[in-house]
């Protein structure tokens, strides 16, 4: 009997040990979620979620990965090396349509990260020719500079938001179409302007502010001057991650929404700027990041300081920011047709529905008490005619090319 009892006891201990090993192994193998970002001020929601411990709060193990270019972000998301990233909100559209990648490649738009906060910076060649928001002087200024050199502008990714803001601005100003447009990663913009590789660029902060601070160029116009409260960056994710790890993605989104709310308290932005200035995040001067996060832009070229009220970079804005609206996709796709990036009109509805995780976002928004937002309304930008997603043909006929 004693032998049987000892045998049972040994088996019990063995089973218990096996259970402990299983639990430990399971914990050790918890999925690490890798989110990429480009060193720009609007990666702040991911940085804040990490630094505030919000990813941990919602039970996800998130690693942030600093990337060199939007092309790297695209490739890593498609290959699954990144589960998602702080990303140009129009990049999934550009890639899917073949403008910025292999046509048919799918990246999913989970939610928006911010509105506003980009800028068109002009080199010192333009200092005495055109000032802040003087769009009526741009065409003549470009022609004058072209009298002695080729004029080239830079953006960050074909079909990306910066590419579209740049082309929108060129059309609105009536600038000659014989200017060059090249692609340069955001952190390399200032260095390239310094060696005269371009006469202007469109990129997110802080790089417009850095150019002004270094007396290399000046802020001619901000993206919110083109379209107040425009969609900018998004959380874009790998399609398999969205399909197979829905619950984990929802937790990531919840952490980011809480970070967005925190960031829209201006009292917290100095703290956010201190994080962003670090070498492993944006690695730009604290003074520049902080000032423009707070809506104050030293324009450069003795143009003074422009103070934005309400339409500076925003991350939550009473819940209007995070929703990944399908109408945004319609608008960007229409711009591709408008500017000749696509030779024919795409299937707007099919693409928007295929790439936008609006149903998933709706679940998250409800659980986070984010106010519901309407979609598919008319878009009104500042230098163009209204865009009606129900009558795109009329828009394309009447808008400036």
């Amino acid at each position: 009997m004693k032998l049987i009892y000892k045998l049972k006891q040994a088996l019990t201990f063995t089973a218990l040990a096996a259970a402990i090993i299983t639990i430990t192994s399971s914990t050790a193998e918890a999925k690490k979620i890798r989110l990429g970002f480009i060193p720009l001020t609007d990666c702040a929601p991911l940085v804040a979620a990490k630094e505030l411990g919000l990813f941990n709060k919602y039970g996800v193990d998130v690693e942030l990965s600093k990337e060199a270019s939007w092309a790297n972000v695209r490739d890593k998301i498609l290959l699954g090396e990144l589960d998602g990233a702080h990303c140009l909100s129009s990049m999934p559209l550009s890639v899917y349509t073949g403008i910025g990648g292999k046509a048919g490649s799918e990246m999913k738009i989970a939610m928006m990260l911010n509105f506003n906060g980009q800028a068109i910076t002009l080199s010192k060649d333009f200092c005495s020719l055109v000032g802040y928001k003087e769009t009526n002087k741009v065409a003549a200024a470009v022609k004058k500079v072209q009298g002695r050199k080729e004029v080239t502008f830079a953006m960050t990714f074909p079909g990306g938001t910066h590419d579209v803001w740049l082309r929108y601005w060129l059309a609105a100003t009536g600038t000659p179409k014989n200017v060059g447009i090249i692609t340069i990663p955001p952190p390399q913009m200032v260095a390239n302007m310094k060696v005269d590789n371009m006469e202007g660029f469109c990129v997110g902060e802080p790089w417009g502010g850095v150019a002004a601070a270094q007396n290399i160029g000046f802020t001619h116009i901000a993206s919110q001057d083109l379209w107040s409260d425009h969609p900018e960056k998004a959380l874009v994710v790998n399609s398999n991650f969205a399909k197979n790890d829905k619950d984990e993605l929802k937790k990531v989104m919840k952490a980011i929404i809480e970070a967005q709310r925190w960031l829209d308290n201006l009292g917290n932005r100095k703290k956010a700027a201190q994080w962003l200035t670090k070498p492993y995040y944006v690695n730009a001067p604290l003074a520049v990041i902080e000032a423009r996060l707070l809506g104050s832009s030293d324009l450069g070229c003795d143009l003074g300081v422009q103070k934005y009220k309400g339409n500076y970079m925003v991350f939550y804005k009473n819940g209007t920011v995070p929703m990944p609206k399908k109408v945004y996709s319609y608008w960007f796709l229409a711009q591709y047709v408008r500017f000749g990036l696509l030779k024919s009109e795409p299937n707007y509805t099919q693409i928007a529905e295929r790439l936008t995780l609006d149903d998933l976002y709706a679940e998250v928004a409800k659980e986070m008490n984010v106010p519901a937002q309407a979609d598919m309304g008319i878009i009104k930008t500042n230098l163009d005619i209204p865009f009606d997603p129900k009558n795109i043909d009329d828009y394309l006929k009447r808008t400036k090319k």
Side-chain angles (χ1 to χ4, degrees):
M1 290 293 292
K2 288 184 179 179
L3 180 61
I4 294 173
Y5 172 75
K6 288 182 178 180
L7 182 59
K8 285 183 178 179
Q9 190 178 49
L11 288 172
T12 300
F13 287 148
T14 302
L16 180 61
I20 292 171
I21 292 170
T22 300
I23 292 170
T24 304
S25 175
S26 175
T27 303
E29 292 175 4
K31 177 179 175 60
K32 183 178 287 292
I33 298 169
R34 297 191 75 233
L35 300 180
F37 69 94
I38 291 289
L40 291 163
T41 303
D42 51 27
C43 72
L46 272 64
V47 171
K50 184 70 171 179
E51 294 291 334
L52 292 169
L54 297 176
F55 289 128
N56 290 338
K57 173 183 174 179
Y58 286 95
V60 282
D61 182 8
V62 171
E63 174 186 315
L64 298 185
S65 175
K66 185 174 181 177
E67 302 298 331
S69 70
W70 291 121
N72 279 1
V73 170
R74 172 201 61 200
D75 294 345
K76 288 185 176 182
I77 290 177
L78 290 174
L79 291 171
E81 294 178 21
L82 291 173
D83 296 297
H86 150 258
C87 196
L88 300 163
S89 61
S90 61
M91 183 191 286
L93 309 169
S94 169
V95 172
Y96 186 81
T97 55
I99 296 168
K102 183 181 178 182
S105 300
E106 292 187 20
M107 300 187 291
K108 305 292 188 178
I109 305 168
M111 62 180 289
M112 301 302 301
L113 297 178
N114 73 293
F115 288 165
N116 308 328
Q118 321 303 296
I120 292 176
T121 299
L122 298 179
S123 71
K124 292 180 71 176
D125 287 323
F126 288 89
C127 269
S128 61
L129 303 177
V130 58
Y132 171 66
K133 286 177 63 173
E134 291 184 336
T135 54
N136 60 318
K137 295 183 178 181
V138 172
V142 169
K143 286 180 181 178
K144 188 163 186 177
V145 175
Q146 283 179 324
R148 54 188 174 81
K149 64 190 293 191
E150 291 185 9
V151 172
T152 300
F153 295 102
M155 48 77 186
T156 64
F157 186 83
T161 53
H162 302 130
D163 187 14
V164 173
W165 309 142
L166 179 63
R167 293 175 191 273
Y168 172 104
W169 170 77
L170 290 171
T173 58
T175 298
K177 300 197 184 300
N178 59 347
V179 298
I181 296 178
I182 59 175
T183 303
I184 294 177
Q188 298 176 26
M189 286 292 190
V190 175
N192 274 271
M193 181 170 276
K194 193 178 292 186
V195 296
D196 202 29
N197 281 344
M198 89 289 256
E199 285 64 52
F201 61 75
C202 183
V203 73
E205 295 298 348
W207 304 114
V210 171
Q214 294 185 5
N215 198 29
I216 294 165
F218 66 98
T219 300
H220 161 64
I221 196 166
S223 55
Q224 55 264 38
D225 298 320
L226 305 177
W227 174 1
S228 184
D229 287 348
H230 66 77
E232 183 49 43
K233 300 303 187 300
L235 176 66
V236 172
V237 298
N238 171 274
S239 58
N240 286 330
F241 177 59
K243 179 181 178 181
N244 300 325
D245 295 286
K246 176 181 171 182
D247 289 340
E248 299 297 291
L249 176 53
K250 286 177 65 176
K251 292 173 185 177
V252 168
M253 293 166 69
K254 288 177 180 180
I256 290 173
I257 287 173
E258 188 166 334
Q260 288 176 302
R261 287 170 170 162
W262 183 86
L263 284 163
D264 265 12
N265 179 339
L266 289 186
N268 293 328
R269 293 203 174 187
K270 287 190 176 184
K271 183 66 174 178
Q274 290 172 1
W275 293 328
L276 293 168
T277 194
K278 301 297 184 184
Y280 45 84
Y281 289 134
V282 177
N283 193 27
L286 174 62
V288 174
I289 295 175
E290 182 181 293
R292 296 206 171 194
L293 257 182
L294 292 169
S296 180
S297 297
D298 187 340
L299 301 172
C301 267
D302 299 319
L303 293 173
V305 175
Q306 170 64 27
K307 293 186 180 295
Y308 290 93
K309 294 183 179 180
N311 64 337
Y312 41 72
M313 187 182 291
V314 292
F315 300 95
Y316 185 71
K317 200 164 188 179
N318 301 316
T320 60
V321 176
M323 181 178 176
K325 294 183 180 180
K326 292 178 181 176
V327 72
Y328 298 155
S329 294
Y330 281 55
W331 188 86
F332 279 111
L333 290 167
Q335 305 314 305
Y336 296 165
V337 177
R338 173 187 181 185
F339 298 126
L341 298 175
L342 290 179
K343 300 304 180 185
S344 60
E345 289 193 69
N347 189 323
Y348 299 95
T349 301
Q350 183 185 67
I351 295 173
E353 290 182 354
R354 192 174 193 91
L355 301 182
T356 309
L357 300 177
D358 53 328
D359 289 344
L360 182 67
Y361 172 78
E363 291 180 23
V364 172
K366 184 176 181 180
E367 293 167 17
M368 291 291 288
N369 294 315
V370 180
Q373 305 295 318
D375 198 352
M376 299 308 292
I378 292 175
I379 289 175
K380 295 180 180 179
T381 62
N382 298 344
L383 303 179
D384 193 15
I385 63 173
F387 173 82
D388 184 350
K390 297 176 183 176
N391 197 355
I392 299 175
D393 287 343
D394 180 66
Y395 169 82
L396 290 172
K397 287 175 184 175
R398 297 195 297 119
T399 188
K400 293 180 182 178
K401 302 297 193 290

